[in-house]
Amino acid sequence: MTEHVSGRDVLRQAKELYQPYRDAVEPKGQRVAIIRFEPAATDPPDWRVRLEASKVSAEQKVKSFEHLGFKADHVVMPPGTTRAQFAEVLDRANRDPATRAIIVQFPPPAQLRPLVERMDPAKDIDALLKGRSQYTACATAEGICRVVEPFAQDDPTIAVVGSKGFVGQGVVNTLRERGHRLMELDAGDDLKRVRDADIVVSVTGNPGILGPEHLRPHHRLVVDSGFVPQADGSVRGDVQRAAYDIPQHLTPVPGGIGPVEMATLMERVVCKEVDPAAPSWKVEPRPYLTKEQMAQGPSTTPAAPTAPAASVASTASAAATASAGPSASAGPGASAGPGASAGPATSTGPATSAGPAAPAGPATSAGPATSASPAASAGPATSAGPATSAGPQSAAAPGNPVAQAAKLRGVGGNTSGAGSVPGRPPAAGPSAPLRPQLPQQPKPPGPGGGPAR
């Protein structure tokens, strides 16, 4: 059973945590400038799609900041904006003492991108200035790492697809600082290597780049950070819908990492402007089977929790487990461009595998499987799949370790507290222990980039 890790629950939690600060913010008239660019009718379709994603993200930011009592200045730069016009908008926001934060939605037009460096580093809450910013990673990258951390307490291999883009760099650097083993993949790499990883993070903005030929039931978590609006009004992520029921846990699109990014930005601006000791949102740890446990067969039970967690985010459940499907080619390159959801890689380690994972079969149970966690949650997590077997609920389908793991949810599992926040004191619970790094290996060059947000 694939369980969805809901970003909407994280955002709801953040709004509840930071709502009390509104009374302190609103009377001050503090502002956040959000600057984005409109495409021209003659722009290429792929560029227009990326700017449409940027528009959606900007509108979500407006709602999030206004919830906190900030005035959101949503500045839309028209097609044909000159360097002088963009520089004036940035300089005006820099000079305005009421403007406490500035966000430039990526991607800006290529000729305007260097001007982003004019931004006041003290107002850069999304790490657009990289080394000059007060934050070590953008909000999307930090949010991804905080989602990953509860699943990464036992030295797993984490594959980052799109590791040369903007967000990918933040993910790679943050996870490496926490001692995790990484498999970095980008354009030109064989994406089928993700099958050897334990956790998969995809930040390419290339719709459907990962499918059933890439994902496996032993993947304890797959993070999909892609967000590409479609002509019919739908949104596609990096993971094909046909692969949604393969891993044990997955962040859906929409409703996954996008809301997590908003929660991270809300936390940053509250800590910066109101209360440096404001509480952090957390992701609920949940049980999973390791690759080794999956290989041992259906009698395997998740290990007992390593530590209680203080998280309150609830989870949503997905449909029944599907098989991994036949192997196929990796498809196009991993990174789509230098958008806000991918980033450059800085180290590469060889993938490690504990052996072949047992193939997944159709999960069966006597009724809808219920999902629980040792941590307190904001609401019950229940599976979406209907019952397909007349047998007792305590019996999972033979030869199906994923169904067995779903049956055992609530008994115990590999769980832990969420990771610490870059640039802030550690959150409640133990932080990830330092893990040995594999030797760096050279890898062929490839173009970088990532999705527009």
Side-chain angles (χ1 to χ4, degrees), residues 23 46 58 146 182 217 250 284 313 384 390 399 411 426 449:
D23 291 341
D46 60 339
R146 289 167 68 176
L182 303 178
L250 176 138
E284 175 184 311
V411 176

Side-chain angles (χ1 to χ4, degrees), residues 40-377:
T42 56
D43 283 340
D46 60 339
W47 179 254
R48 300 184 67 184
V49 164
R50 297 180 70 190
L51 292 190
E52 176 62 24
S54 172
K55 174 184 176 182
V56 173
S57 178
E59 291 170 347
Q60 291 173 346
K61 290 181 175 74
V62 169
K63 293 179 182 178
S64 298
F65 291 125
E66 289 186 343
H67 178 83
L68 298 175
F70 290 89
K71 169 64 177 177
D73 287 334
H74 186 180
V75 182
V76 180
M77 307 300 294
T81 295
T82 66
R83 290 173 58 89
Q85 290 169 332
F86 184 35
E88 172 56 27
V89 169
L90 287 174
D91 291 344
R92 185 169 62 247
N94 285 339
R95 294 190 303 264
D96 180 15
T99 299
R100 309 304 300 169
I102 304 171
I103 297 174
V104 177
Q105 291 291 118
F106 266 55
Q111 71 274 17
L112 303 181
R113 187 169 302 169
L115 295 175
V116 175
E117 295 296 323
R118 298 172 72 103
M119 187 191 309
D120 181 352
K123 298 184 179 185
D124 176 21
I125 64 168
D126 207 12
L128 298 179
L129 302 180
K130 297 186 178 180
R132 295 197 297 128
S133 175
Q134 58 191 311
Y135 301 97
T136 59
C138 68
T140 304
E142 180 191 325
I144 289 171
C145 294
R146 289 167 68 176
V147 170
V148 166
E149 199 67 37
F151 297 87
Q153 297 297 300
D154 58 343
D155 197 24
T157 298
I158 305 171
V160 181
V161 183
S163 59
K164 289 185 177 180
F166 178 66
V167 169
Q169 177 188 14
V171 171
V172 166
N173 291 344
T174 302
L175 291 178
R176 185 189 298 113
E177 288 171 0
R178 297 179 184 181
H180 293 293
R181 289 192 294 166
L182 303 178
M183 177 195 300
E184 300 171 41
L185 299 169
D186 210 275
D189 294 328
D190 181 4
L191 300 188
K192 288 184 289 184
R193 289 177 55 200
V194 304
R195 294 182 296 191
D196 294 327
D198 302 290
I199 295 171
V200 179
V201 175
S202 188
V203 290
T204 75
N206 192 332
I209 197 170
L210 297 181
E213 67 271 26
H214 304 104
L215 304 186
R216 290 293 179 263
H218 71 253
H219 287 143
R220 61 185 72 170
L221 172 67
V222 173
V223 175
D224 185 350
S225 185
F227 186 91
V228 181
Q230 303 298 297
D232 61 1
S234 64
V235 177
R236 293 185 64 193
D238 288 3
V239 177
Q240 298 172 20
R241 292 288 173 175
Y244 257 43
D245 297 331
I246 297 175
Q248 298 175 56
H249 300 85
L250 176 138
T251 63
V253 175
I257 295 303
V260 168
E261 177 195 7
M262 302 304 134
T264 304
L265 287 170
M266 291 174 71
E267 180 179 319
R268 285 183 176 185
V269 75
V270 166
C271 291
K272 176 178 179 289
E273 299 300 330
V274 189
D275 180 10
S280 296
W281 59 263
K282 297 179 177 67
V283 172
E284 175 184 311
R286 34 205 105 182
Y288 56 82
L289 290 175
T290 66
K291 189 186 304 182
E292 293 80 4
Q293 289 170 328
M294 296 282 289
Q296 289 172 9
S299 62
T300 303
T301 62
T306 57
S311 61
V312 297
S314 62
T315 60
S317 300
T321 305
S323 67
S327 176
S329 63
S335 288
S341 295
T346 53
S347 83
T348 303
T352 59
S353 173
T364 59
S365 68
T370 58
S371 171
S373 169
S377 75

